[in-house]
Amino acid sequence: MKKARFLLLFFIAISVFAQQEPNLAKYKTTTEKLNVWLKYTNALLDKEDYLKLITAAQKGISLSENHPAYKSRFYLYAGTAYEFSNNQYEKALINYEKSLKYAQQVHHLKNETSALMRLNYIYYSVRDTVKGKALTNYIKQILDTTKSNYTKAVLNGSLAEYYQNNSEYETFIGYQLKAITFKKLLKKDKVNQENIGISYLQIGSSYTRMKQYSKAIEYLNEAKPYVKNSPYVNAFLCNYYLQSFVALKKTDSIQKYYNLIYTYPTAKDSLFLNLSFANRSMSDHYINEGKPNTAYNYAKKAVVFGEKSNDEEILMEANTALGRVLYDKGEYKKAIETL
């Protein structure tokens, strides 16, 4: 699944601002114009209006010709718009790298931290392992010298994500726990509190991958109070509870969390992703119970929702579950085709 979707845009302090494009002719100095335009791009980001944000960020880049810190921020916003608009990773990559370059020119730590965080995910997404490894080494150098709790919170989380992507779960957990420690030292606003919950959730998900399900539940319980107001995150939380309880054969909890997942309204792609995940877990449960026909019904649902999710990994996992059911039913030709 798209792990980075768990990572909220930690670096962005959203300002509510009039969403009508400002008339820059009203302002005398370049700095005034840049500040006004930056607030406008923030508002577009808040609205998730990525097409307008791309255009606005490009104009901001032109306005900030001799202002590297602003230019870094506008390149960052352009990268964000491309990344979250149909996963245009190559275009996002170019903009994030430029954002990092200009942030480094003026030692703007916050912009640099933000660019590094997103580049870490993008290098993984485009499978550039060489740049990804070099980036982690550079991040470690920054962590050895910085006194910023914000930077330590974000970049320990980025290192954690790097090791999670490489299935080094024990190392991932160590860095994620460090990230949580520093996040707890930051301002207790809604975004930061939710990020703490997401970090605990990611640790829980890693324990499910290591098949340590009781330990997973322990960290999912830690996550729960931090994400109680986020339907998007709660759907994932319920799915990892469900997966854990299926493995532990806790029948009442299995049904409880399966039903709960259907109560959380989220964006369509994540909704279908979560429903596919949930039905795959139910298929596993009924296979383990020796009920292949019931398992088949859930596996078919998992595939249908997986196709709607536009997530290749979740669809692959759904087809794997269906293939397992067909194998158990003795339908070997269909099982081979599905797998």
Side-chain angles (χ1 to χ4, degrees), residues 84-125:
F84 290 94
S85 177
N86 299 318
N87 300 328
Q88 299 179 67
Y89 293 137
E90 296 291 349
K91 290 181 179 180
L93 174 60
I94 292 167
N95 283 278
Y96 286 144
E97 287 183 335
K98 288 181 178 179
S99 175
L100 178 61
K101 181 182 78 171
Y102 286 106
Q104 289 170 329
Q105 280 184 8
V106 290
H107 307 292
H108 195 295
L109 184 59
K110 189 170 184 179
N111 283 2
E112 186 175 1
T113 299
S114 301
L116 288 169
M117 178 184 71
R118 296 319 310 154
L119 278 171
N120 177 61
Y121 175 67
I122 296 296
Y123 286 145
Y124 165 74
S125 297

Side-chain angles (χ1 to χ4, degrees), residues 17 26 35 60 63 69 79 217 232 242 261 277 296 313 321 332 335:
F17 190 78
K26 293 165 54 179
N35 284 329
L63 285 169
I217 291 169
Y232 170 77
L242 176 59
I261 288 162
F277 188 174
Y296 176 79
E313 187 173 342
Y332 301 121

Side-chain angles (χ1 to χ4, degrees), residues 45-223:
L45 184 61
D46 192 23
K47 279 182 64 183
E48 299 182 7
D49 192 341
Y50 297 124
L51 290 178
K52 282 187 179 179
L53 180 57
I54 290 169
T55 302
Q58 289 169 344
K59 182 171 180 176
I61 291 164
S62 298
L63 285 169
S64 54
E65 189 57 42
N66 297 311
H67 298 78
Y70 285 99
K71 183 167 278 195
S72 171
R73 178 60 55 166
F74 286 122
Y75 271 122
L76 187 68
Y77 286 176
T80 303
Y82 281 119
E83 180 184 351
F84 290 94
S85 177
N86 299 318
N87 300 328
Q88 299 179 67
Y89 293 137
E90 296 291 349
K91 290 181 179 180
L93 174 60
I94 292 167
N95 283 278
Y96 286 144
E97 287 183 335
K98 288 181 178 179
S99 175
L100 178 61
K101 181 182 78 171
Y102 286 106
Q104 289 170 329
Q105 280 184 8
V106 290
H107 307 292
H108 195 295
L109 184 59
K110 189 170 184 179
N111 283 2
E112 186 175 1
T113 299
S114 301
L116 288 169
M117 178 184 71
R118 296 319 310 154
L119 278 171
N120 177 61
Y121 175 67
I122 296 296
Y123 286 145
Y124 165 74
S125 297
V126 301
R127 302 294 188 262
D128 194 331
T129 55
V130 174
K131 283 189 175 181
K133 181 65 175 176
L135 192 79
T136 60
N137 291 333
Y138 180 66
I139 288 172
K140 288 175 183 178
Q141 291 175 24
I142 292 177
L143 287 172
D144 285 341
T145 57
T146 187
K147 294 181 180 179
S148 166
N149 288 331
Y150 171 81
T151 295
K152 289 177 182 178
V154 175
L155 294 187
N156 273 296
S158 287
L159 287 179
E161 186 180 346
Y162 173 82
Y163 288 107
Q164 184 186 44
N165 290 339
N166 287 281
S167 301
E168 297 179 43
Y169 297 120
E170 294 288 356
T171 307
F172 157 76
I173 290 168
Y175 278 110
Q176 195 63 281
L177 288 172
K178 285 183 184 178
I180 290 169
T181 298
F182 290 109
K183 286 175 185 178
K184 287 182 176 179
L185 297 176
L186 302 178
K187 185 171 67 174
K188 292 184 179 180
D189 59 23
K190 180 181 177 182
V191 172
N192 186 47
Q193 292 298 100
E194 197 164 287
N195 271 283
I196 293 170
I198 289 168
S199 293
Y200 279 127
L201 172 57
Q202 289 178 315
I203 292 173
S205 74
S206 288
Y207 276 116
T208 65
R209 290 176 180 267
M210 292 189 288
K211 303 187 186 304
Q212 298 182 38
Y213 297 106
S214 294
K215 198 74 175 173
I217 291 169
E218 177 185 328
Y219 281 96
L220 297 175
N221 289 340
E222 291 281 356

